[in-house]
Amino acid sequence: MDDAILNAANKHFASNYFEARQKFRDYVAEAAVGEPGTYPSPARGPGGEQLSTDVAWFGDRRALKVGVLISGTHGVEGYCGSAAQLDWLAERGYEELKSDEAMLLIHAINPYGFAWDRRVTQEGCDLNRNFIDFTAPAPQNEGYDALADSLVPSALDGPVFAAAEATIEKYRATQGEIAYRKARTTGQYRHPTGMFFGGFGPTVARQTLERIVSDYSIASRQFVLIVDYHTGLGPYGYGELQCEQASGVTGYQRARDIFGHSVTSPDLGTSSALVLNGTQDDYWQRILRDRHVYVCLEFGTYPPEVARPLLRADHWLYAYGQAQIQTDFGRDVRRRVKEHYYPDRGDWKEMVLCRTRQVHRQMMEGMRA
């Protein structure tokens, strides 16, 4: 292992949201060249604590070219993104900014999910399915409708659970694995306690992002390059740069020009993710169109089939077992979800920082292309 990077990983990765937030605020204060901002959340932490999204701006407020680093879109995945942001700060990446360049760091855009070790927002929504146009009819997901009561059954054992598993296995056998993955993960807008629920309207976290974008006049910039950190898909420790369908093939080509041929696209079938509804890039595409590049930097952890029972237990708690959320059982569910999306191992953390340093360097170069 590279001792310098491993030491950085041990320093930057936090044990919980509160430690991560304090580290971020301390690093920004130490830099003494950023403009900090705080966006309080109406949600509270497991002990009733105040939660917030914190931001820092580096560079000229009038810069034409802006990079945006976003952590915590999927809450519990924020351990990775927060550490990457702290590493950029510790490596003094802001010193490389030219006069027409700036960087905006958005820490814990979904602070509820980060604090509670859940992927979802306080409304139970998958934030990366929440950016649809709610004035138009919501996308349909008939596959999820057919599996809703099986993906999150009313019991986690016994006959109800066995019947749910049998229904899922039958669907996979008759419809195929891709159809099953699409049904489960692409987003659904009818089952509020279900998995990958996109919401009935904009979440608080989405509105926070929209406020930040407005406050920092991001939509007026000449070029905006966004890196949104995620974990959970792909090979262990590998950082895949995924484009989203919203930007199409032209968006993929713009990303590839900056980050190289490791960039993947669901349009081309090269991504470990499928085409999704309501992703964050739907938002960026609406406000910036070809003046932006959005990439999801996705770090693999463990196989998706390992995640399925963990997410099922998490959603079951909030649908059927709310009295157990703050019991040993509920805390154990949160612990296991956290371990899946944040492997607290030296090799994984080293791989994350090696890749994010490369991506951050390419990002800075890309703003000058």
Side-chain angles (χ1 to χ4, degrees), residues 57-73:
W57 178 277
F58 295 88
D60 192 329
R61 283 295 296 264
R62 300 165 297 176
L64 298 176
K65 302 172 184 178
V66 177
V68 183
L69 302 177
I70 304 176
S71 67
T73 296

Side-chain angles (χ1 to χ4, degrees), residues 17-18 21 39-53 110-118 120-123 204 318 325-326 334:
Y17 157 82
F18 303 99
R21 181 180 185 239
Y39 293 78
S41 170
R44 290 292 182 268
E49 305 94 337
Q50 173 79 51
L51 307 177
S52 68
T53 294
N110 171 15
Y112 163 85
F114 198 165
W116 284 87
D117 290 321
R118 304 189 71 203
V120 297
T121 67
Q122 62 212 65
E123 301 91 348
V204 168
Y318 289 81
I325 290 172
Q326 292 286 48
R334 295 202 296 274

Side-chain angles (χ1 to χ4, degrees), residues 234-290:
Y236 178 90
Y238 176 71
E240 178 186 343
L241 282 168
Q242 303 171 349
C243 291
E244 300 289 1
Q245 190 271 339
S247 293
V249 175
T250 57
Y252 160 75
Q253 291 170 339
R254 293 196 302 272
R256 196 181 66 174
D257 288 343
I258 294 170
F259 297 105
H261 289 264
S262 67
V263 176
T264 66
S265 165
D267 285 315
L268 302 178
T270 55
S271 176
S272 62
L274 301 172
V275 173
L276 307 175
N277 295 312
T279 67
Q280 194 182 117
D281 194 36
D282 283 89
Y283 171 63
W284 296 112
Q285 177 66 16
R286 280 197 296 272
I287 66 171
L288 290 163
R289 299 198 179 275
D290 62 359

Side-chain angles (χ1 to χ4, degrees), residues 283-304:
Y283 171 63
W284 296 112
Q285 177 66 16
R286 280 197 296 272
I287 66 171
L288 290 163
R289 299 198 179 275
D290 62 359
R291 290 183 292 119
H292 89 290
V293 168
Y294 167 92
V295 287
C296 165
L297 180 50
E298 177 87 46
F299 285 94
T301 58
Y302 304 109

Side-chain angles (χ1 to χ4, degrees), residues 9-15 23 79-80 83 342 348-349 352-353:
N10 289 333
K11 183 178 180 182
H12 303 329
F13 277 88
S15 59
K23 284 175 181 282
Y79 293 94
C80 167
Y342 168 35
W348 188 83
K349 292 188 286 190
V352 166
L353 290 196

